[in-house]
Every structure is written in C-alpha cells, then in structure tokens.
Amino acid sequence: QVQLVESGGGLVQSGGSLRLSCAASRIRVSAYTMDWYRQVPGKQREFVASITTDYSKSYDDSVKGRFTISRDNAKNTVYLQMNSLKPEDTAVYYCRAESVVATSLAYWGQGTQVTVSS
C-alpha cells in the first residue's frame, strides 16, 4: 500500500526551528501535489503549505515567511522547514499526497506532533 511517514516533530521553544520530513513509498512524490496540514484538538484540519509537480509553492498566511516546503525527488521525500516557531504553531502535522490526474485520490500520513513552548 501507499505510505506517507512523517517524522521530525518534537518539543521546541518559541523562536526555534524544526524540519519535518514526509517519506513516501509506492508513489513518487514528483508526480503528486504534496501538502502539509495541521490540526489541534477541537479544530478542523487546516492547510499549511503545498508544492506542485512543477515546484510551484503555496503557503497559508499564518506561516508565510517562516515555513518553507521543499521536495527531494532522489530521496522521495517532502520537507517542511519551520523557523521562528510560535506557540500557536503547536499541532499535529500531516503530510498529504494529491493525485494530479484523479481529484478524489489522495493519501495521508499518520501525523507528527509539534509542540512549541512559550
């Protein structure tokens, strides 16, 4: 089966940095739009960042200028570099692969916890 495995989450202090990784198997990340979402208890999952097959990038305004999404085709891995972290960034972060040719086809990772202390 297709698998997306996130890693790199943890506990950091305000102003610190983390790099999240999303390692894919059974799909090539270069052929999908890859997204990062996040979710906190009691709230809906929200969009964070995306990168398309042609390297176009999008960010939510709340993270623009602080987060950077990237892709390494050789490693079949997508990254989210998070700098200047704030307590409000605390959430479970999820990786998503969206099919370019089939709108209904998407895969989700299991999530990784990011906690930013004040």
Side-chain angles (χ1 to χ4, degrees):
Q1 299 94 341
V2 172
Q3 277 195 302
L4 301 174
V5 180
E6 300 100 330
S7 61
L11 174 64
V12 297
Q13 58 190 283
S14 296
S17 298
L18 283 174
R19 189 181 75 161
L20 305 184
S21 298
C22 174
S25 61
R26 303 295 296 275
I27 64 166
R28 299 185 68 178
V29 298
S30 60
Y32 288 77
T33 295
M34 302 298 299
D35 311 308
W36 287 97
Y37 283 73
R38 65 187 181 187
Q39 188 170 28
V40 299
K43 299 181 66 177
Q44 292 189 335
R45 193 168 297 183
E46 64 180 21
F47 171 80
V48 176
S50 70
I51 183 169
T52 67
T53 56
D54 63 353
Y55 291 93
S56 178
K57 299 177 181 180
S58 296
Y59 299 94
D60 183 76
D61 286 343
S62 65
V63 306
K64 192 174 299 181
R66 300 188 297 120
F67 291 10
T68 303
I69 189 170
S70 62
R71 186 178 77 229
D72 188 327
N73 293 342
K75 296 182 178 180
N76 207 32
T77 300
V78 176
Y79 303 96
L80 184 68
Q81 178 67 46
M82 305 185 295
N83 298 326
S84 302
L85 283 163
K86 306 173 181 179
E88 52 262 43
D89 295 318
T90 295
V92 177
Y93 284 71
Y94 296 92
C95 178
R96 178 178 184 256
E98 180 182 4
S99 175
V100 175
V101 298
T103 303
S104 62
L105 183 61
Y107 304 98
W108 291 89
Q110 82 289 346
T112 185
Q113 176 71 48
V114 172
T115 303
V116 185
S117 63
S118 59

mmCIF file of all heavy atoms in Angstrom, residues 63-101:
data_model
loop_
_atom_site.group_PDB
_atom_site.id
_atom_site.type_symbol
_atom_site.label_atom_id
_atom_site.label_comp_id
_atom_site.label_asym_id
_atom_site.label_seq_id
_atom_site.Cartn_x
_atom_site.Cartn_y
_atom_site.Cartn_z
ATOM 1 N N VAL A 63 1.879 31.229 8.138
ATOM 2 C CA VAL A 63 3.230 30.672 8.157
ATOM 3 C C VAL A 63 4.132 31.272 7.091
ATOM 4 O O VAL A 63 5.335 30.974 7.073
ATOM 5 C CB VAL A 63 3.209 29.140 8.010
ATOM 6 C CG1 VAL A 63 2.314 28.516 9.069
ATOM 7 C CG2 VAL A 63 2.753 28.733 6.614
ATOM 8 N N LYS A 64 3.585 32.085 6.219
ATOM 9 C CA LYS A 64 4.361 32.658 5.121
ATOM 10 C C LYS A 64 5.542 33.454 5.666
ATOM 11 O O LYS A 64 5.403 34.277 6.568
ATOM 12 C CB LYS A 64 3.467 33.539 4.254
ATOM 13 C CG LYS A 64 4.086 33.957 2.929
ATOM 14 C CD LYS A 64 3.067 34.703 2.062
ATOM 15 C CE LYS A 64 1.870 33.835 1.740
ATOM 16 N NZ LYS A 64 0.875 34.541 0.882
ATOM 17 N N GLY A 65 6.708 33.198 5.106
ATOM 18 C CA GLY A 65 7.921 33.858 5.553
ATOM 19 C C GLY A 65 8.650 33.126 6.650
ATOM 20 O O GLY A 65 9.811 33.441 6.937
ATOM 21 N N ARG A 66 7.999 32.167 7.287
ATOM 22 C CA ARG A 66 8.611 31.391 8.360
ATOM 23 C C ARG A 66 8.826 29.931 7.982
ATOM 24 O O ARG A 66 9.806 29.325 8.408
ATOM 25 C CB ARG A 66 7.759 31.454 9.627
ATOM 26 C CG ARG A 66 7.567 32.857 10.172
ATOM 27 C CD ARG A 66 6.867 32.834 11.531
ATOM 28 N NE ARG A 66 5.524 32.273 11.444
ATOM 29 C CZ ARG A 66 5.120 31.188 12.101
ATOM 30 N NH1 ARG A 66 5.956 30.539 12.905
ATOM 31 N NH2 ARG A 66 3.869 30.759 11.981
ATOM 32 N N PHE A 67 7.911 29.375 7.198
ATOM 33 C CA PHE A 67 7.981 27.968 6.799
ATOM 34 C C PHE A 67 8.381 27.864 5.333
ATOM 35 O O PHE A 67 8.023 28.718 4.511
ATOM 36 C CB PHE A 67 6.631 27.274 6.976
ATOM 37 C CG PHE A 67 6.196 27.080 8.404
ATOM 38 C CD1 PHE A 67 6.858 27.678 9.457
ATOM 39 C CD2 PHE A 67 5.099 26.281 8.675
ATOM 40 C CE1 PHE A 67 6.445 27.495 10.766
ATOM 41 C CE2 PHE A 67 4.670 26.085 9.980
ATOM 42 C CZ PHE A 67 5.342 26.692 11.020
ATOM 43 N N THR A 68 9.092 26.789 4.991
ATOM 44 C CA THR A 68 9.477 26.521 3.618
ATOM 45 C C THR A 68 9.228 25.058 3.296
ATOM 46 O O THR A 68 9.728 24.173 3.994
ATOM 47 C CB THR A 68 10.955 26.851 3.365
ATOM 48 O OG1 THR A 68 11.214 28.221 3.695
ATOM 49 C CG2 THR A 68 11.308 26.620 1.901
ATOM 50 N N ILE A 69 8.464 24.805 2.242
ATOM 51 C CA ILE A 69 8.237 23.444 1.786
ATOM 52 C C ILE A 69 9.215 23.137 0.657
ATOM 53 O O ILE A 69 9.534 24.007 -0.157
ATOM 54 C CB ILE A 69 6.782 23.228 1.329
ATOM 55 C CG1 ILE A 69 6.496 21.744 1.072
ATOM 56 C CG2 ILE A 69 6.453 24.070 0.105
ATOM 57 C CD1 ILE A 69 5.017 21.440 0.852
ATOM 58 N N SER A 70 9.709 21.908 0.612
ATOM 59 C CA SER A 70 10.645 21.506 -0.428
ATOM 60 C C SER A 70 10.475 20.026 -0.724
ATOM 61 O O SER A 70 9.799 19.301 0.008
ATOM 62 C CB SER A 70 12.087 21.817 -0.030
ATOM 63 O OG SER A 70 12.460 21.101 1.129
ATOM 64 N N ARG A 71 11.110 19.583 -1.806
ATOM 65 C CA ARG A 71 10.984 18.195 -2.235
ATOM 66 C C ARG A 71 12.320 17.698 -2.736
ATOM 67 O O ARG A 71 13.024 18.402 -3.479
ATOM 68 C CB ARG A 71 9.915 18.097 -3.338
ATOM 69 C CG ARG A 71 9.581 16.689 -3.773
ATOM 70 C CD ARG A 71 8.488 16.705 -4.837
ATOM 71 N NE ARG A 71 9.022 17.084 -6.145
ATOM 72 C CZ ARG A 71 8.496 18.002 -6.932
ATOM 73 N NH1 ARG A 71 7.395 18.658 -6.559
ATOM 74 N NH2 ARG A 71 9.049 18.276 -8.108
ATOM 75 N N ASP A 72 12.673 16.483 -2.349
ATOM 76 C CA ASP A 72 13.886 15.831 -2.818
ATOM 77 C C ASP A 72 13.451 14.581 -3.572
ATOM 78 O O ASP A 72 13.099 13.571 -2.963
ATOM 79 C CB ASP A 72 14.808 15.476 -1.656
ATOM 80 C CG ASP A 72 16.158 14.961 -2.111
ATOM 81 O OD1 ASP A 72 16.248 14.310 -3.162
ATOM 82 O OD2 ASP A 72 17.157 15.203 -1.391
ATOM 83 N N ASN A 73 13.470 14.647 -4.893
ATOM 84 C CA ASN A 73 12.986 13.532 -5.698
ATOM 85 C C ASN A 73 13.839 12.278 -5.521
ATOM 86 O O ASN A 73 13.325 11.158 -5.531
ATOM 87 C CB ASN A 73 12.933 13.926 -7.168
ATOM 88 C CG ASN A 73 11.897 14.986 -7.454
ATOM 89 O OD1 ASN A 73 10.990 15.224 -6.663
ATOM 90 N ND2 ASN A 73 12.026 15.632 -8.610
ATOM 91 N N ALA A 74 15.144 12.447 -5.376
ATOM 92 C CA ALA A 74 16.032 11.302 -5.222
ATOM 93 C C ALA A 74 15.724 10.527 -3.946
ATOM 94 O O ALA A 74 15.825 9.298 -3.916
ATOM 95 C CB ALA A 74 17.487 11.752 -5.240
ATOM 96 N N LYS A 75 15.365 11.236 -2.885
ATOM 97 C CA LYS A 75 15.014 10.598 -1.623
ATOM 98 C C LYS A 75 13.525 10.305 -1.505
ATOM 99 O O LYS A 75 13.097 9.704 -0.517
ATOM 100 C CB LYS A 75 15.451 11.471 -0.452
ATOM 101 C CG LYS A 75 16.950 11.660 -0.350
ATOM 102 C CD LYS A 75 17.312 12.503 0.862
ATOM 103 C CE LYS A 75 18.813 12.659 0.993
ATOM 104 N NZ LYS A 75 19.180 13.489 2.163
ATOM 105 N N ASN A 76 12.737 10.751 -2.495
ATOM 106 C CA ASN A 76 11.288 10.554 -2.488
ATOM 107 C C ASN A 76 10.683 11.086 -1.186
ATOM 108 O O ASN A 76 9.836 10.444 -0.560
ATOM 109 C CB ASN A 76 10.932 9.087 -2.683
ATOM 110 C CG ASN A 76 9.560 8.905 -3.325
ATOM 111 O OD1 ASN A 76 9.124 9.721 -4.130
ATOM 112 N ND2 ASN A 76 8.882 7.821 -2.971
ATOM 113 N N THR A 77 11.110 12.274 -0.805
ATOM 114 C CA THR A 77 10.751 12.857 0.475
ATOM 115 C C THR A 77 10.402 14.325 0.319
ATOM 116 O O THR A 77 11.031 15.035 -0.467
ATOM 117 C CB THR A 77 11.903 12.698 1.482
ATOM 118 O OG1 THR A 77 12.179 11.309 1.672
ATOM 119 C CG2 THR A 77 11.556 13.321 2.824
ATOM 120 N N VAL A 78 9.400 14.762 1.069
ATOM 121 C CA VAL A 78 8.994 16.160 1.137
ATOM 122 C C VAL A 78 9.326 16.682 2.523
ATOM 123 O O VAL A 78 9.185 15.963 3.518
ATOM 124 C CB VAL A 78 7.497 16.319 0.834
ATOM 125 C CG1 VAL A 78 7.048 17.763 1.007
ATOM 126 C CG2 VAL A 78 7.200 15.846 -0.583
ATOM 127 N N TYR A 79 9.744 17.938 2.592
ATOM 128 C CA TYR A 79 10.159 18.539 3.847
ATOM 129 C C TYR A 79 9.351 19.791 4.143
ATOM 130 O O TYR A 79 8.836 20.459 3.246
ATOM 131 C CB TYR A 79 11.641 18.919 3.812
ATOM 132 C CG TYR A 79 12.559 17.768 3.509
ATOM 133 C CD1 TYR A 79 12.998 17.531 2.212
ATOM 134 C CD2 TYR A 79 12.992 16.916 4.516
ATOM 135 C CE1 TYR A 79 13.845 16.476 1.932
ATOM 136 C CE2 TYR A 79 13.832 15.862 4.245
ATOM 137 C CZ TYR A 79 14.266 15.646 2.951
ATOM 138 O OH TYR A 79 15.105 14.598 2.676
ATOM 139 N N LEU A 80 9.266 20.110 5.421
ATOM 140 C CA LEU A 80 8.722 21.384 5.865
ATOM 141 C C LEU A 80 9.694 21.967 6.877
ATOM 142 O O LEU A 80 9.771 21.485 8.008
ATOM 143 C CB LEU A 80 7.334 21.227 6.479
ATOM 144 C CG LEU A 80 6.643 22.532 6.874
ATOM 145 C CD1 LEU A 80 6.285 23.346 5.628
ATOM 146 C CD2 LEU A 80 5.390 22.259 7.702
ATOM 147 N N GLN A 81 10.445 22.971 6.448
ATOM 148 C CA GLN A 81 11.349 23.674 7.338
ATOM 149 C C GLN A 81 10.564 24.749 8.068
ATOM 150 O O GLN A 81 9.977 25.625 7.433
ATOM 151 C CB GLN A 81 12.501 24.299 6.556
ATOM 152 C CG GLN A 81 13.481 25.092 7.405
ATOM 153 C CD GLN A 81 14.258 24.220 8.365
ATOM 154 O OE1 GLN A 81 14.757 23.171 7.979
ATOM 155 N NE2 GLN A 81 14.342 24.649 9.624
ATOM 156 N N MET A 82 10.556 24.692 9.383
ATOM 157 C CA MET A 82 9.783 25.608 10.203
ATOM 158 C C MET A 82 10.735 26.424 11.063
ATOM 159 O O MET A 82 11.437 25.873 11.916
ATOM 160 C CB MET A 82 8.783 24.856 11.083
ATOM 161 C CG MET A 82 7.857 23.936 10.297
ATOM 162 S SD MET A 82 6.589 23.172 11.339
ATOM 163 C CE MET A 82 7.632 22.158 12.393
ATOM 164 N N ASN A 83 10.759 27.721 10.832
ATOM 165 C CA ASN A 83 11.600 28.636 11.586
ATOM 166 C C ASN A 83 10.736 29.616 12.363
ATOM 167 O O ASN A 83 9.556 29.788 12.079
ATOM 168 C CB ASN A 83 12.538 29.405 10.657
ATOM 169 C CG ASN A 83 13.490 28.518 9.895
ATOM 170 O OD1 ASN A 83 13.931 27.487 10.397
ATOM 171 N ND2 ASN A 83 13.825 28.918 8.678
ATOM 172 N N SER A 84 11.347 30.271 13.329
ATOM 173 C CA SER A 84 10.651 31.270 14.145
ATOM 174 C C SER A 84 9.332 30.740 14.681
ATOM 175 O O SER A 84 8.289 31.390 14.599
ATOM 176 C CB SER A 84 10.423 32.552 13.335
ATOM 177 O OG SER A 84 11.642 33.088 12.865
ATOM 178 N N LEU A 85 9.384 29.565 15.244
ATOM 179 C CA LEU A 85 8.168 28.895 15.697
ATOM 180 C C LEU A 85 7.503 29.647 16.840
ATOM 181 O O LEU A 85 8.173 30.243 17.690
ATOM 182 C CB LEU A 85 8.477 27.469 16.116
ATOM 183 C CG LEU A 85 8.664 26.497 14.947
ATOM 184 C CD1 LEU A 85 9.372 25.235 15.398
ATOM 185 C CD2 LEU A 85 7.305 26.155 14.329
ATOM 186 N N LYS A 86 6.180 29.613 16.830
ATOM 187 C CA LYS A 86 5.354 30.266 17.830
ATOM 188 C C LYS A 86 4.492 29.226 18.537
ATOM 189 O O LYS A 86 4.205 28.171 17.976
ATOM 190 C CB LYS A 86 4.440 31.311 17.174
ATOM 191 C CG LYS A 86 5.155 32.333 16.313
ATOM 192 C CD LYS A 86 4.150 33.209 15.588
ATOM 193 C CE LYS A 86 4.835 34.222 14.700
ATOM 194 N NZ LYS A 86 3.848 35.064 13.967
ATOM 195 N N PRO A 87 4.048 29.511 19.756
ATOM 196 C CA PRO A 87 3.171 28.564 20.450
ATOM 197 C C PRO A 87 1.927 28.196 19.641
ATOM 198 O O PRO A 87 1.464 27.052 19.732
ATOM 199 C CB PRO A 87 2.797 29.308 21.735
ATOM 200 C CG PRO A 87 3.975 30.185 21.997
ATOM 201 C CD PRO A 87 4.436 30.635 20.632
ATOM 202 N N GLU A 88 1.401 29.129 18.857
ATOM 203 C CA GLU A 88 0.225 28.834 18.055
ATOM 204 C C GLU A 88 0.496 27.880 16.898
ATOM 205 O O GLU A 88 -0.432 27.447 16.222
ATOM 206 C CB GLU A 88 -0.419 30.124 17.527
ATOM 207 C CG GLU A 88 0.552 31.049 16.822
ATOM 208 C CD GLU A 88 1.062 32.156 17.736
ATOM 209 O OE1 GLU A 88 1.393 31.856 18.904
ATOM 210 O OE2 GLU A 88 1.120 33.317 17.287
ATOM 211 N N ASP A 89 1.765 27.551 16.650
ATOM 212 C CA ASP A 89 2.104 26.534 15.664
ATOM 213 C C ASP A 89 1.958 25.121 16.219
ATOM 214 O O ASP A 89 2.075 24.151 15.467
ATOM 215 C CB ASP A 89 3.539 26.721 15.160
ATOM 216 C CG ASP A 89 3.730 28.011 14.395
ATOM 217 O OD1 ASP A 89 2.845 28.367 13.588
ATOM 218 O OD2 ASP A 89 4.770 28.665 14.596
ATOM 219 N N THR A 90 1.719 24.999 17.509
ATOM 220 C CA THR A 90 1.559 23.692 18.130
ATOM 221 C C THR A 90 0.382 22.956 17.511
ATOM 222 O O THR A 90 -0.736 23.468 17.468
ATOM 223 C CB THR A 90 1.352 23.839 19.642
ATOM 224 O OG1 THR A 90 2.531 24.386 20.232
ATOM 225 C CG2 THR A 90 1.054 22.496 20.282
ATOM 226 N N ALA A 91 0.630 21.752 17.012
ATOM 227 C CA ALA A 91 -0.394 20.967 16.335
ATOM 228 C C ALA A 91 0.196 19.626 15.928
ATOM 229 O O ALA A 91 1.404 19.410 16.027
ATOM 230 C CB ALA A 91 -0.923 21.696 15.094
ATOM 231 N N VAL A 92 -0.669 18.739 15.460
ATOM 232 C CA VAL A 92 -0.223 17.549 14.760
ATOM 233 C C VAL A 92 -0.132 17.900 13.285
ATOM 234 O O VAL A 92 -1.100 18.393 12.695
ATOM 235 C CB VAL A 92 -1.172 16.357 14.968
ATOM 236 C CG1 VAL A 92 -0.706 15.156 14.154
ATOM 237 C CG2 VAL A 92 -1.251 15.995 16.444
ATOM 238 N N TYR A 93 1.011 17.662 12.689
ATOM 239 C CA TYR A 93 1.251 17.996 11.295
ATOM 240 C C TYR A 93 1.140 16.751 10.428
ATOM 241 O O TYR A 93 1.733 15.713 10.730
ATOM 242 C CB TYR A 93 2.632 18.638 11.129
ATOM 243 C CG TYR A 93 2.662 20.071 11.592
ATOM 244 C CD1 TYR A 93 2.593 20.379 12.944
ATOM 245 C CD2 TYR A 93 2.735 21.120 10.676
ATOM 246 C CE1 TYR A 93 2.594 21.693 13.379
ATOM 247 C CE2 TYR A 93 2.743 22.434 11.101
ATOM 248 C CZ TYR A 93 2.671 22.721 12.450
ATOM 249 O OH TYR A 93 2.675 24.032 12.874
ATOM 250 N N TYR A 94 0.376 16.875 9.342
ATOM 251 C CA TYR A 94 0.093 15.761 8.447
ATOM 252 C C TYR A 94 0.599 16.040 7.045
ATOM 253 O O TYR A 94 0.452 17.149 6.531
ATOM 254 C CB TYR A 94 -1.417 15.500 8.367
ATOM 255 C CG TYR A 94 -2.052 15.057 9.662
ATOM 256 C CD1 TYR A 94 -2.590 15.985 10.537
ATOM 257 C CD2 TYR A 94 -2.129 13.714 9.990
ATOM 258 C CE1 TYR A 94 -3.183 15.593 11.715
ATOM 259 C CE2 TYR A 94 -2.723 13.306 11.164
ATOM 260 C CZ TYR A 94 -3.244 14.257 12.024
ATOM 261 O OH TYR A 94 -3.841 13.855 13.195
ATOM 262 N N CYS A 95 1.146 15.025 6.423
ATOM 263 C CA CYS A 95 1.563 15.069 5.038
ATOM 264 C C CYS A 95 0.450 14.504 4.156
ATOM 265 O O CYS A 95 -0.224 13.541 4.533
ATOM 266 C CB CYS A 95 2.846 14.257 4.864
ATOM 267 S SG CYS A 95 3.488 14.159 3.184
ATOM 268 N N ARG A 96 0.246 15.105 2.989
ATOM 269 C CA ARG A 96 -0.794 14.666 2.064
ATOM 270 C C ARG A 96 -0.247 14.630 0.648
ATOM 271 O O ARG A 96 0.467 15.542 0.234
ATOM 272 C CB ARG A 96 -1.996 15.616 2.126
ATOM 273 C CG ARG A 96 -3.139 15.302 1.168
ATOM 274 C CD ARG A 96 -4.272 16.294 1.365
ATOM 275 N NE ARG A 96 -5.441 15.999 0.547
ATOM 276 C CZ ARG A 96 -5.778 16.660 -0.556
ATOM 277 N NH1 ARG A 96 -5.028 17.668 -0.979
ATOM 278 N NH2 ARG A 96 -6.868 16.316 -1.228
ATOM 279 N N ALA A 97 -0.576 13.573 -0.079
ATOM 280 C CA ALA A 97 -0.240 13.439 -1.491
ATOM 281 C C ALA A 97 -1.534 13.464 -2.283
ATOM 282 O O ALA A 97 -2.427 12.643 -2.056
ATOM 283 C CB ALA A 97 0.528 12.155 -1.754
ATOM 284 N N GLU A 98 -1.642 14.408 -3.215
ATOM 285 C CA GLU A 98 -2.848 14.604 -4.003
ATOM 286 C C GLU A 98 -2.572 14.254 -5.453
ATOM 287 O O GLU A 98 -1.656 14.819 -6.060
ATOM 288 C CB GLU A 98 -3.320 16.054 -3.878
ATOM 289 C CG GLU A 98 -4.571 16.386 -4.651
ATOM 290 C CD GLU A 98 -4.953 17.842 -4.526
ATOM 291 O OE1 GLU A 98 -4.198 18.605 -3.899
ATOM 292 O OE2 GLU A 98 -6.014 18.227 -5.054
ATOM 293 N N SER A 99 -3.363 13.352 -6.006
ATOM 294 C CA SER A 99 -3.180 12.943 -7.390
ATOM 295 C C SER A 99 -3.425 14.110 -8.334
ATOM 296 O O SER A 99 -4.384 14.872 -8.164
ATOM 297 C CB SER A 99 -4.113 11.793 -7.739
ATOM 298 O OG SER A 99 -4.023 11.471 -9.109
ATOM 299 N N VAL A 100 -2.582 14.228 -9.332
ATOM 300 C CA VAL A 100 -2.742 15.270 -10.338
ATOM 301 C C VAL A 100 -3.821 14.888 -11.348
ATOM 302 O O VAL A 100 -4.511 15.752 -11.886
ATOM 303 C CB VAL A 100 -1.403 15.541 -11.046
ATOM 304 C CG1 VAL A 100 -1.571 16.534 -12.184
ATOM 305 C CG2 VAL A 100 -0.374 16.054 -10.048
ATOM 306 N N VAL A 101 -3.999 13.589 -11.597
ATOM 307 C CA VAL A 101 -4.924 13.116 -12.629
ATOM 308 C C VAL A 101 -6.258 12.630 -12.078
ATOM 309 O O VAL A 101 -7.199 12.446 -12.846
ATOM 310 C CB VAL A 101 -4.284 11.992 -13.461
ATOM 311 C CG1 VAL A 101 -3.049 12.521 -14.180
ATOM 312 C CG2 VAL A 101 -3.925 10.800 -12.594
#
